[in-house]
Amino acid sequence: MTVDGSGQAAATWTDEEMMIVAAARALRDGTRCFVGIGRPSVAANLARGTHAPNLVLVYESGTIGAKPTRLPLSIGDGILAETADAVVSVPELFNYWLQPGRIDVGFLGAAQIDRYGNINTTVIGADYRNPTVRLPGAGGAPEIAASCREVFVIARHDPRTFVDRVDFVTSVGYGRGPGDREALNLRGRGPVQVITNLGVLEPDPTTCELTLTQVHEGVDVDQVCAATGWPLRVATAPTTSTAPTPTELTALRTLRATIGSGAP
Amino acid sequence: MTVDGSGQAAATWTDEEMMIVAAARALRDGTRCFVGIGRPSVAANLARGTHAPNLVLVYESGTIGAKPTRLPLSIGDGILAETADAVVSVPELFNYWLQPGRIDVGFLGAAQIDRYGNINTTVIGADYRNPTVRLPGAGGAPEIAASCREVFVIARHDPRTFVDRVDFVTSVGYGRGPGDREALNLRGRGPVQVITNLGVLEPDPTTCELTLTQVHEGVDVDQVCAATGWPLRVATAPTTSTAPTPTELTALRTLRATIGSGAP
Amino acid sequence: MGEVASLRAAIAALVHDGDTVALEGFTHLIPVAAGQEIIRQRRRNLTLVRMTPDIVYDQMIGAGCARKLVFSWAGNPGVGSLPRFRDAVQNAWPVPLEIEEHSHAGMANRYVAGASGLPFAVLRGYAGTDLAGLTDTVKPITCPFTGETLTAVPALNPDVGIVHAQRADRAGNVQFWGITGVHKEVVLAAKRSLVTVEKIVDRLRERPGAVVLPHWTVTMVAEVPGGAHPSYAHGHSDRDNDFYVTWDSISRSRTAFQRWLDEAVFATTGGVAP
Amino acid sequence: MGEVASLRAAIAALVHDGDTVALEGFTHLIPVAAGQEIIRQRRRNLTLVRMTPDIVYDQMIGAGCARKLVFSWAGNPGVGSLPRFRDAVQNAWPVPLEIEEHSHAGMANRYVAGASGLPFAVLRGYAGTDLAGLTDTVKPITCPFTGETLTAVPALNPDVGIVHAQRADRAGNVQFWGITGVHKEVVLAAKRSLVTVEKIVDRLRERPGAVVLPHWTVTMVAEVPGGAHPSYAHGHSDRDNDFYVTWDSISRSRTAFQRWLDEAVFATTGGVAP
């Protein structure tokens, strides 16, 4: 793909890079973001390195306001403690900082996500006691999904990941539909954007069902529907995300270059 | 009074000094002592300066293992933080350190103490809403009295202080008698010594009633009974505390000399 | 958040008649100057919350700012009682004072619940005391696993939380060290917060035992050197123990107190205690 | 308390077959060498507790030390899964592994309750998830003041709590800094505790962000430089990210794992990981 139609040298990018860039763009400057390791951390650090220099990164290791100069390799990377405004114990982080709703955005990945934005990171398969695949489990996700004011999810788009109903509800999105979060007394709004390598899904304001509202440049709607495990509703006029700018690509690649093997 | 019968220069002391010295002697080396300000702090620091160099002083300001080189003037004196092994928040002190029973001895004063070692530091008078005298209140005392393995009380001996029944139970001793602490699910043993300017009272092993077990040198039993607001039971053979040694007196007076006005 | 302002402007913006206000500082870093500015601005019908009401609340109560006091120990540490507090409780002077009384453990846990976004906290406390019977803010609670009975206390979430600290930077990040008491909890539990500081600096530097509160947890910051007097700021000042003794003589007489109020508070433009 | 001993002597004295043992360290200061000494001493039927079972528990589970795992996230951070853990859960190899699964917030609060001498903790958690239905260690609890329903989890009080730290002095006082995780909570919650340290010094010196545990809260201390490898000790070592990747290839095959066990654990006298 070309960055623009101008005469200058064409630059290409991968759909993985497009996904990270789209996720980074979604983070407004100055917001407090609870960051999981892996793609959320890459996107958040890209945002902080480009349009959101005052983004406040909060990691579940207790590092608040971390300003890593390279991509952290784990949620407990030493560089997070060295550059944080404050380092607190893990119980304090969950009780004083996450639980009261002080964090604006919770940024999560997913092994499975369903039509209502519920997330599974526990087991694949119908039988918990005898799973097809045993996944790592909950970590901080259930309470991040419950307590952050908004939740962003980032995941590659395929029918095994985007399923009609998750095998296991590790973290609640909109449950089975409107009113469920309120009935469960969950403080945050829930997932407001699901950013993938193909586009962006957002909950329908009335039904809470994840709906395709944006496709990335060069992606067509049928492609997204085919990669979704339920009959995907499509917004009347889905927008198209602009391609990664040279600045964004350079920043992302520089960031990635800061990590060796054992990278997320 | 003379320190001893020998020919050396006679030294005299006050009953206040005798009380502090007797209290200090009661603290075994190496024990963890939760210290209130005023007489308990003077006695604990005297003990640490004489026979108990490894006494661990814990103040409710969150200073654990404080080693003040002078008498602290408040429970939050800066010298406590400067010399402590650890300084923790006040909630942590009560929740992680006092509540689980990690402290051996709780050292309290009292405006009123009764036959069963219950302590009043809240109001004098029958009507809480319209008290004769409004006292400072509970502070840390109720939970110190409940959770420390043992409690020592230090108070001057007179019938207004040593009453048959306290006007207000701020901190529980033995309630109304045997079994009450167990029924209330209190962890510690309760008050094991009440040290006064006249002698020492200890709970009767079967009735829990405070009983005179020791008189200070030069004090006779009738004097103690007259200073007690209930018919005081007296041990069959109360012992006599030995007079303050010159070492103890010098240490105590040196300690007191470290404080200016505004002293406890 | 973390807006830097004058003490006068901060109190005017944050503290309103009828508010529930907590000035904290456990013998250390007590925001005394802020309390006196509240007196100066003649705030009324406040519910004052504080573990250890001492001179600062004796002053505010004597000045008639408070209609209710929530506390766990009300005295002049190392000296004795609080005459203005006693006069209000025993004689309703200058106005009646309702009291809600707790233990330190109970108050500390109420702030913890408030900071944690929970409606209550659980502790081993109050059992067998006469305190529990005097308030509806102490209730039994049963462990759903063991059946054991413990004590619950409701969260404290003051309208305004005020503390003194050693440092803030220009962005409003706050740093304090030494005895930290319930500083963090009251700021995080409060709906609005003010931190008065000894010094505003370009950059906070790491220190042993220092706690940092990010600017987005603090509503306003005011530079008030000596603003904790007669209490102290570790590394800046010593506790003025003589003033605690002097206070007793001032506070014992209504007229002496009134004179002190006029001279030390109303006649001054604010900032530091005498 | 605070007795200084060799790692071998400490594990022999503190960890017994059938015990509930928690090795903690939130990506930092993980007591990996202590875990390998438990393998070397062939402890069996342990209930292993840890928020983030990673390489150290993959090793202990693969070696057959565990009959049950209590956890909140079981993975190889930044790499993927834990093959030995999966093999135990999915194929009961080398022995069946019972699991009790929580969220981080739930586990952290269970340690807090344990450290506080309370039978349970209260949090906003698990609501609407499938986790709550799988265990009797998550129950609803009603606020006695507001009537709101929250979640209760039971205290964790392991028989043995083990962490790694940077420093101890000769009296057994322990000091750690950087990311402190649940270090303090697990030591205070445990009936017995072991802290392995990078260095035993004459005197601890104050440092920003440092936590000190007095010797009377720690049962035993062992000097094990590099005892956190492949995790790290802030100020002493960096995380060996390559080993986390290498571990995946070792752990994927039972035979490669067995070979690693023989060479890296049983053939060595203990101390530091390869």
PDB file of all heavy atoms in Angstrom, chain C residues 3-17:
ATOM      1  N   GLU C   3      -4.165  21.941  40.487  1.00  0.00           N
ATOM      2  CA  GLU C   3      -4.065  23.376  40.207  1.00  0.00           C
ATOM      3  C   GLU C   3      -3.375  24.098  41.363  1.00  0.00           C
ATOM      4  O   GLU C   3      -3.749  23.934  42.518  1.00  0.00           O
ATOM      5  CB  GLU C   3      -5.475  23.949  40.001  1.00  0.00           C
ATOM      6  CG  GLU C   3      -5.514  25.424  39.654  1.00  0.00           C
ATOM      7  CD  GLU C   3      -6.929  26.005  39.785  1.00  0.00           C
ATOM      8  OE1 GLU C   3      -7.906  25.225  39.764  1.00  0.00           O
ATOM      9  OE2 GLU C   3      -7.034  27.230  39.935  1.00  0.00           O
ATOM     10  N   VAL C   4      -2.361  24.879  41.039  1.00  0.00           N
ATOM     11  CA  VAL C   4      -1.653  25.646  42.058  1.00  0.00           C
ATOM     12  C   VAL C   4      -2.376  26.974  42.272  1.00  0.00           C
ATOM     13  O   VAL C   4      -2.700  27.678  41.318  1.00  0.00           O
ATOM     14  CB  VAL C   4      -0.186  25.891  41.650  1.00  0.00           C
ATOM     15  CG1 VAL C   4       0.519  26.766  42.673  1.00  0.00           C
ATOM     16  CG2 VAL C   4       0.545  24.558  41.486  1.00  0.00           C
ATOM     17  N   ALA C   5      -2.679  27.269  43.541  1.00  0.00           N
ATOM     18  CA  ALA C   5      -3.426  28.495  43.854  1.00  0.00           C
ATOM     19  C   ALA C   5      -2.971  29.034  45.197  1.00  0.00           C
ATOM     20  O   ALA C   5      -2.189  28.396  45.904  1.00  0.00           O
ATOM     21  CB  ALA C   5      -4.919  28.193  43.887  1.00  0.00           C
ATOM     22  N   SER C   6      -3.467  30.231  45.561  1.00  0.00           N
ATOM     23  CA  SER C   6      -3.191  30.758  46.894  1.00  0.00           C
ATOM     24  C   SER C   6      -4.072  30.003  47.890  1.00  0.00           C
ATOM     25  O   SER C   6      -5.107  29.450  47.518  1.00  0.00           O
ATOM     26  CB  SER C   6      -3.531  32.244  46.959  1.00  0.00           C
ATOM     27  OG  SER C   6      -4.942  32.404  46.927  1.00  0.00           O
ATOM     28  N   LEU C   7      -3.673  30.007  49.161  1.00  0.00           N
ATOM     29  CA  LEU C   7      -4.469  29.340  50.186  1.00  0.00           C
ATOM     30  C   LEU C   7      -5.875  29.933  50.226  1.00  0.00           C
ATOM     31  O   LEU C   7      -6.865  29.214  50.267  1.00  0.00           O
ATOM     32  CB  LEU C   7      -3.794  29.475  51.557  1.00  0.00           C
ATOM     33  CG  LEU C   7      -4.544  28.872  52.737  1.00  0.00           C
ATOM     34  CD1 LEU C   7      -4.795  27.388  52.534  1.00  0.00           C
ATOM     35  CD2 LEU C   7      -3.763  29.109  54.027  1.00  0.00           C
ATOM     36  N   ARG C   8      -5.935  31.270  50.161  1.00  0.00           N
ATOM     37  CA  ARG C   8      -7.245  31.920  50.219  1.00  0.00           C
ATOM     38  C   ARG C   8      -8.142  31.473  49.073  1.00  0.00           C
ATOM     39  O   ARG C   8      -9.291  31.076  49.267  1.00  0.00           O
ATOM     40  CB  ARG C   8      -7.073  33.440  50.187  1.00  0.00           C
ATOM     41  CG  ARG C   8      -8.394  34.198  50.087  1.00  0.00           C
ATOM     42  CD  ARG C   8      -8.190  35.693  50.188  1.00  0.00           C
ATOM     43  NE  ARG C   8      -7.687  36.062  51.515  1.00  0.00           N
ATOM     44  CZ  ARG C   8      -7.387  37.322  51.873  1.00  0.00           C
ATOM     45  NH1 ARG C   8      -7.547  38.306  51.012  1.00  0.00           N
ATOM     46  NH2 ARG C   8      -6.940  37.570  53.079  1.00  0.00           N
ATOM     47  N   ALA C   9      -7.602  31.486  47.876  1.00  0.00           N
ATOM     48  CA  ALA C   9      -8.389  31.095  46.699  1.00  0.00           C
ATOM     49  C   ALA C   9      -8.797  29.620  46.779  1.00  0.00           C
ATOM     50  O   ALA C   9      -9.919  29.253  46.419  1.00  0.00           O
ATOM     51  CB  ALA C   9      -7.577  31.342  45.429  1.00  0.00           C
ATOM     52  N   ALA C  10      -7.893  28.796  47.272  1.00  0.00           N
ATOM     53  CA  ALA C  10      -8.170  27.356  47.339  1.00  0.00           C
ATOM     54  C   ALA C  10      -9.304  27.073  48.327  1.00  0.00           C
ATOM     55  O   ALA C  10     -10.244  26.336  48.010  1.00  0.00           O
ATOM     56  CB  ALA C  10      -6.913  26.596  47.744  1.00  0.00           C
ATOM     57  N   ILE C  11      -9.231  27.675  49.522  1.00  0.00           N
ATOM     58  CA  ILE C  11     -10.293  27.464  50.513  1.00  0.00           C
ATOM     59  C   ILE C  11     -11.617  28.006  49.982  1.00  0.00           C
ATOM     60  O   ILE C  11     -12.665  27.359  50.081  1.00  0.00           O
ATOM     61  CB  ILE C  11      -9.928  28.128  51.856  1.00  0.00           C
ATOM     62  CG1 ILE C  11      -8.709  27.439  52.481  1.00  0.00           C
ATOM     63  CG2 ILE C  11     -11.119  28.100  52.818  1.00  0.00           C
ATOM     64  CD1 ILE C  11      -8.915  25.981  52.842  1.00  0.00           C
ATOM     65  N   ALA C  12     -11.571  29.181  49.355  1.00  0.00           N
ATOM     66  CA  ALA C  12     -12.802  29.779  48.813  1.00  0.00           C
ATOM     67  C   ALA C  12     -13.421  28.861  47.757  1.00  0.00           C
ATOM     68  O   ALA C  12     -14.636  28.705  47.689  1.00  0.00           O
ATOM     69  CB  ALA C  12     -12.487  31.144  48.212  1.00  0.00           C
ATOM     70  N   ALA C  13     -12.569  28.230  46.967  1.00  0.00           N
ATOM     71  CA  ALA C  13     -13.072  27.387  45.882  1.00  0.00           C
ATOM     72  C   ALA C  13     -13.570  26.033  46.371  1.00  0.00           C
ATOM     73  O   ALA C  13     -14.524  25.477  45.837  1.00  0.00           O
ATOM     74  CB  ALA C  13     -11.972  27.186  44.843  1.00  0.00           C
ATOM     75  N   LEU C  14     -12.928  25.508  47.413  1.00  0.00           N
ATOM     76  CA  LEU C  14     -13.177  24.103  47.776  1.00  0.00           C
ATOM     77  C   LEU C  14     -14.097  23.904  48.972  1.00  0.00           C
ATOM     78  O   LEU C  14     -14.790  22.887  49.054  1.00  0.00           O
ATOM     79  CB  LEU C  14     -11.837  23.398  48.038  1.00  0.00           C
ATOM     80  CG  LEU C  14     -10.869  23.321  46.860  1.00  0.00           C
ATOM     81  CD1 LEU C  14      -9.586  22.639  47.279  1.00  0.00           C
ATOM     82  CD2 LEU C  14     -11.506  22.594  45.684  1.00  0.00           C
ATOM     83  N   VAL C  15     -14.078  24.820  49.938  1.00  0.00           N
ATOM     84  CA  VAL C  15     -14.805  24.598  51.202  1.00  0.00           C
ATOM     85  C   VAL C  15     -16.048  25.481  51.284  1.00  0.00           C
ATOM     86  O   VAL C  15     -15.947  26.698  51.208  1.00  0.00           O
ATOM     87  CB  VAL C  15     -13.893  24.877  52.414  1.00  0.00           C
ATOM     88  CG1 VAL C  15     -14.643  24.595  53.715  1.00  0.00           C
ATOM     89  CG2 VAL C  15     -12.616  24.050  52.338  1.00  0.00           C
ATOM     90  N   HIS C  16     -17.191  24.836  51.406  1.00  0.00           N
ATOM     91  CA  HIS C  16     -18.461  25.575  51.466  1.00  0.00           C
ATOM     92  C   HIS C  16     -19.180  25.277  52.775  1.00  0.00           C
ATOM     93  O   HIS C  16     -18.995  24.219  53.372  1.00  0.00           O
ATOM     94  CB  HIS C  16     -19.348  25.175  50.285  1.00  0.00           C
ATOM     95  CG  HIS C  16     -18.618  25.128  48.988  1.00  0.00           C
ATOM     96  ND1 HIS C  16     -18.528  23.976  48.229  1.00  0.00           N
ATOM     97  CD2 HIS C  16     -17.897  26.063  48.328  1.00  0.00           C
ATOM     98  CE1 HIS C  16     -17.802  24.208  47.147  1.00  0.00           C
ATOM     99  NE2 HIS C  16     -17.401  25.475  47.188  1.00  0.00           N
ATOM    100  N   ASP C  17     -20.034  26.229  53.211  1.00  0.00           N
ATOM    101  CA  ASP C  17     -20.825  26.001  54.422  1.00  0.00           C
ATOM    102  C   ASP C  17     -21.561  24.666  54.316  1.00  0.00           C
ATOM    103  O   ASP C  17     -22.111  24.331  53.267  1.00  0.00           O
ATOM    104  CB  ASP C  17     -21.845  27.128  54.621  1.00  0.00           C
ATOM    105  CG  ASP C  17     -21.173  28.438  55.025  1.00  0.00           C
ATOM    106  OD1 ASP C  17     -19.939  28.430  55.241  1.00  0.00           O
ATOM    107  OD2 ASP C  17     -21.883  29.454  55.115  1.00  0.00           O
TER     108      ASP C  17
END
